[in-house]
Amino acid sequence: MVQQKRAAARRRPLSREEALARQERQQRRREKEEESRELAKGPIDLPFFILVLLLTGIGLVMLLSASFPSAYYETDGQNPLYYFTRQGVFAIMGVAAMLFIGKINYQRFRGLAKPLLYLSVILLILVAIPGNPLAITRNNATRWLGIPGTSLQFQPSEIAKLAVIIYFGDSISKKKDRMRTFRYGILPYVIILVVLAGLVGIEPHLSGAILVLGAGAVMMLVGGIHWGWVGGAIAAAGGLLYFVVFVLDYNRSRFEYWLNPWADAQGSGYQLSQSLLTIGSGGLLGVGLGKSRQKFLYLPEEHNDFIFAIVCEELGLIGATVIMLLFAALILRGFWIALHARDRFGSLMVVGVVTLVGLQTFLNIGVVTGLLPTTGISLPFFSYGGTALSIQLAEMGIVLSVSRQMKPTKAG
């Protein structure tokens, strides 16, 4: 009935006033689109771009140093540069993607919001299907899709993170004051986060689920939800974590040997104890770039999740601090771009991207140093993983795209 009324209204001839009003709306829309196209031709934020390149370059150098022994032994001495060359190819592809995306008017990303969200759900379901030949299992976790034995592999959780950023940015930016209501500002986003984080969590990939929840929660908070909901969410997350760890007994041993890794230094506490030995071996100035001893098959995952321990050993406290300061500068500059973004959509997307980088960096360094329980999470721009690096650099391209249309700032 409603559709019939709308169809009848469309068939009714427009009055002169209605026709003029429609023309004015169309004219304003064209002017706004033209203004957006002109603004999109502006310069990228150079400090942010330089910081990304610095971290990527340093990450490649440290990956070369950390992965050399493992690659040598795994390839029987044939290709000690195996991990480095593969990561280098993905780094080049990622930088190219970053520059390409940085030139796109970020308003066009709105059209990707729903398709990317649907795609991520489908891919995560494919990972969860038992016996799926395209699902790849490593270290008792099924987190990858692709063709076993080839480089055509990726983690759908990386796409899920990007989907949350774009979809939440598009949806929240349109709601404004309605974000303070439960029906429009809480319920739909909680359902999406629970579905995505649940699918990621059953892989199992606890750190990936935390990143999805963290990025979504911060975007909701910036989007205008009431602070009371934040406190409730934190309490619920704490209760869920307690249930998963101590009731379902998932990863309980990791918590126990996190508190005292030396209780079983040759067993369950081996990884963390070796990480702490690696960090302590570096001292203030480090043993020198490329001179790590722990990377010679003592420290597990030395070129992946625990690469920061090698950084500490070779570059020492001073070198590790410099790298942490670079990450801090990148995060702060990202939030600065978000504050000066042209609209809510751009600001929210930048907040989501920077939150992902900041949270992932904090979790990785926290795990490596023993501040947090051991869980599989990589260090952005440093850890081995071609798909993850390419997607991270593509996300940096989104920030650069938003920076092209920043509001002018006052001099001084």
Side-chain angles (χ1 to χ4, degrees):
M1 189 67 181
V2 175
Q3 293 179 349
Q4 292 176 353
K5 290 182 178 180
R6 289 178 179 174
R10 285 195 295 267
R11 289 193 297 268
R12 178 177 58 83
L14 295 175
S15 64
R16 186 171 183 276
E17 291 77 8
E18 290 174 332
L20 289 174
R22 173 178 288 186
Q23 290 177 359
E24 290 178 1
R25 288 195 298 269
Q26 292 175 346
Q27 180 64 23
R28 285 196 298 268
R29 189 181 300 112
R30 285 194 294 268
E31 291 175 354
K32 189 175 181 179
E33 291 174 354
E34 182 63 28
E35 179 187 8
S36 180
R37 283 194 291 269
E38 289 299 321
L39 287 171
K41 298 177 182 178
I44 61 173
D45 187 73
L46 195 57
F48 187 86
F49 178 66
I50 292 174
L51 286 167
V52 171
L53 292 185
L54 269 175
L55 286 169
T56 304
I58 296 173
L60 284 174
V61 172
M62 290 309 307
L63 179 73
L64 171 61
S65 176
S67 66
F68 191 93
S70 291
Y72 179 85
Y73 288 114
E74 290 173 10
T75 61
D76 296 325
Q78 299 299 313
N79 188 9
L81 301 180
Y82 174 78
Y83 291 112
F84 172 73
T85 53
R86 286 167 61 91
Q87 189 82 341
V89 170
F90 280 102
I92 294 172
M93 293 169 55
V95 171
M98 176 178 66
L99 294 174
F100 175 76
I101 293 173
K103 292 185 177 181
I104 298 175
N105 184 348
Y106 68 86
Q107 296 296 335
R108 296 184 179 180
F109 299 146
R110 289 185 183 272
L112 295 175
K114 289 183 178 179
L116 199 59
L117 183 65
Y118 298 150
L119 175 63
S120 63
V121 172
I122 293 171
L123 292 176
L124 289 173
I125 291 174
L126 288 176
V127 172
I129 295 176
N132 182 5
L134 296 178
I136 301 171
T137 301
R138 297 175 188 162
N139 299 325
N140 299 319
T142 307
R143 303 174 183 175
W144 295 263
L145 283 179
I147 303 175
T150 70
S151 59
L152 299 176
Q153 301 175 12
F154 67 97
Q155 291 192 46
S157 59
E158 296 294 334
I159 298 177
K161 298 172 192 174
L162 183 59
V164 166
I165 290 171
I166 296 179
Y167 180 82
F168 276 40
D170 175 49
S171 180
I172 293 174
S173 65
K174 297 174 181 177
K175 292 185 176 180
K176 298 183 180 179
D177 293 338
R178 289 192 297 171
M179 283 299 297
R180 298 185 69 83
T181 65
F182 177 79
R183 179 179 178 183
Y184 297 103
I186 302 294
L187 184 60
Y189 304 110
V190 168
I191 292 174
I192 293 171
L193 289 178
V194 168
V195 170
L196 291 177
L199 289 171
V200 173
I202 64 176
E203 294 181 351
H205 192 6
L206 182 59
S207 57
I210 292 174
L211 291 174
V212 170
L213 291 172
V218 171
M219 293 181 72
M220 290 168 63
L221 180 61
V222 173
I225 65 171
H226 195 278
W227 276 91
W229 295 112
V230 179
I234 293 175
L240 180 62
L241 182 63
Y242 178 86
F243 177 79
V244 170
V245 174
F246 295 102
V247 178
L248 297 183
D249 207 32
Y250 170 68
N251 276 347
R252 184 172 181 176
S253 62
R254 290 189 178 184
F255 280 80
E256 294 174 348
Y257 291 108
W258 160 56
L259 298 174
N260 185 15
W262 311 108
D264 189 12
Q266 295 300 317
S268 298
Y270 180 79
Q271 192 168 35
L272 180 55
S273 60
Q274 289 297 318
S275 178
L276 296 177
L277 286 171
T278 304
I279 294 171
S281 301
L284 182 65
L285 300 176
V287 299
L289 182 63
K291 297 181 180 180
S292 166
R293 296 179 291 271
Q294 288 291 107
K295 66 186 178 184
F296 286 93
L297 307 185
Y298 291 103
L299 176 66
E301 300 291 335
E302 78 289 344
H303 59 286
N304 201 336
D305 296 347
F306 281 76
I307 192 172
F308 188 74
I310 303 298
V311 171
C312 294
E313 183 184 14
E314 294 190 347
L315 305 184
L317 175 63
I318 293 177
T321 300
V322 169
I323 289 174
M324 287 190 289
L325 288 175
L326 287 175
F327 273 111
L330 179 76
I331 294 164
L332 290 174
R333 189 65 184 182
F335 282 124
W336 185 89
I337 293 172
L339 286 172
H340 295 84
R342 180 168 167 261
D343 57 14
R344 278 168 57 87
F345 176 54
S347 179
L348 285 165
M349 282 201 302
V350 174
V351 166
V353 170
V354 176
T355 298
L356 271 182
V357 175
L359 184 58
Q360 189 168 343
T361 302
F362 170 76
L363 291 176
N364 177 270
I365 295 177
V367 166
V368 170
T369 56
L371 177 65
L372 299 172
T374 303
T375 183
I377 187 166
S378 59
L379 182 63
F381 308 112
F382 279 69
S383 295
Y384 176 73
T387 304
L389 177 62
S390 297
I391 293 179
Q392 286 164 3
L393 289 171
E395 291 168 349
M396 299 304 105
I398 293 176
V399 179
L400 293 177
S401 176
V402 174
S403 73
R404 287 182 178 274
Q405 302 187 40
M406 284 193 303
K407 299 174 183 177
T409 56
K410 294 181 180 180

